[in-house]
Amino acid sequence: MSFICCDAEGSHDIVAILENRLTKTIREHFMNRYTNRERAAVKSVVVDLNAQYIKFIKVLFPNARIIIDRFHIVQLVGRALGNARISLMKKMNDCHCREYKILKAHWRLFHKNSADLEAARSVYLRGVSEYMTQQNALDLIVKNHPQFEKVYDAYQDVFNALKKKTGRGSLMFWKITVVRVRTHSHLHLEEEHDSCS
């Protein structure tokens, strides 16, 4: 797989296309083509979630702020939420209960911005075969499964921070949130009970 670098601030021109993504190749490219002064003038570097990049960026660009690409953050937390939902469904003994049906047939509710959920108007939920608001359907799951609620809340935190472009965009916030989402979806859901309401 190639490494592509472009000027994100100015012209958006491609700066380099390297034959691979190996640390050695990338470091040599920037060390050999740019002076220390030029590299020190770089203010920010946008990367995906490849941990190898973060390790050497501070060496190559000592004054640069590291920014994680939004697409990769959304993709990561979306997957974690999906994995948490599927894990919860697998733990349920009754695949005919309302909670299971909501998790299975209405998974998009969990990825929707919580502020956009319909809280007043009841609609017929296919699969569940009853009328309820979107908010009631979501509450039925998160209120009865506190570990899933933590994953859902972390997803909403990231979603809203990206949407509002708040000042919480630092690498540390993303590390904490990503770890929080990963932890709750992969480890703590094992404590969740099999029951349905």
Side-chain angles (χ1 to χ4, degrees):
M1 189 178 280
S2 299
F3 172 85
I4 300 172
C5 174
C6 70
D7 177 3
E9 293 260 330
S11 63
H12 298 286
D13 289 340
I14 293 177
V15 175
I17 299 176
L18 306 180
E19 63 197 47
N20 60 54
R21 296 167 30 143
L22 297 174
T23 300
K24 180 181 178 206
T25 305
I26 297 168
R27 283 185 65 156
E28 284 178 3
H29 172 79
F30 287 102
M31 296 291 262
N32 294 336
R33 285 176 179 71
Y34 301 96
T35 65
N36 289 342
R37 188 178 202 172
E38 289 171 321
R39 288 185 284 110
V42 173
K43 295 176 185 167
S44 61
V45 176
V46 180
V47 296
D48 61 19
L49 289 169
N50 186 336
Q52 111 183 10
Y53 295 154
I54 294 170
K55 289 178 184 175
F56 64 78
I57 286 173
K58 281 296 177 192
V59 174
L60 289 174
F61 308 104
N63 300 319
R65 188 170 146 225
I66 299 171
I67 302 169
I68 306 296
D69 177 31
R70 289 170 180 239
F71 168 80
H72 291 92
I73 293 169
V74 170
Q75 184 182 51
L76 178 71
V77 296
R79 275 192 198 140
L81 181 62
N83 290 341
R85 181 186 60 83
I86 291 166
S87 177
L88 178 57
M89 287 171 52
K90 287 180 179 178
K91 293 177 190 303
M92 293 181 171
N93 292 327
D94 182 6
C95 65
H96 300 290
C97 70
R98 293 189 314 169
E99 291 180 21
Y100 184 92
K101 290 177 178 180
I102 289 168
L103 287 164
K104 173 99 174 148
H106 300 281
W107 59 269
R108 286 181 182 91
L109 286 178
F110 303 100
H111 291 271
K112 194 172 185 178
N113 185 347
S114 60
D116 295 336
L117 289 172
E118 181 64 56
R121 187 174 59 92
S122 293
V123 294
Y124 185 76
L125 297 180
R126 288 183 304 105
V128 183
S129 302
E130 64 181 274
Y131 285 89
M132 68 173 64
T133 67
Q134 291 178 335
Q135 187 66 56
N136 289 135
L138 186 119
D139 288 345
L140 184 64
I141 304 302
V142 297
K143 299 304 179 206
N144 291 321
H145 303 281
Q147 295 302 326
F148 180 80
E149 182 178 25
K150 291 176 184 174
V151 177
Y152 174 77
D153 288 344
Y155 175 85
Q156 289 294 319
D157 288 346
V158 172
F159 183 86
N160 288 316
L162 288 172
K163 185 176 178 185
K164 294 175 184 175
K165 297 180 182 176
T166 62
R168 298 175 70 186
S170 71
L171 179 61
M172 189 52 65
F173 169 73
W174 296 122
K175 276 186 180 177
I176 290 167
T177 303
V178 167
V179 168
R180 189 171 135 200
V181 170
R182 280 187 180 160
T183 300
H184 291 300
S185 65
H186 295 285
L187 302 177
H188 296 295
L189 273 176
E190 294 173 12
E191 301 167 11
E192 199 67 51
H193 299 289
D194 299 331
S195 65
C196 282
S197 301

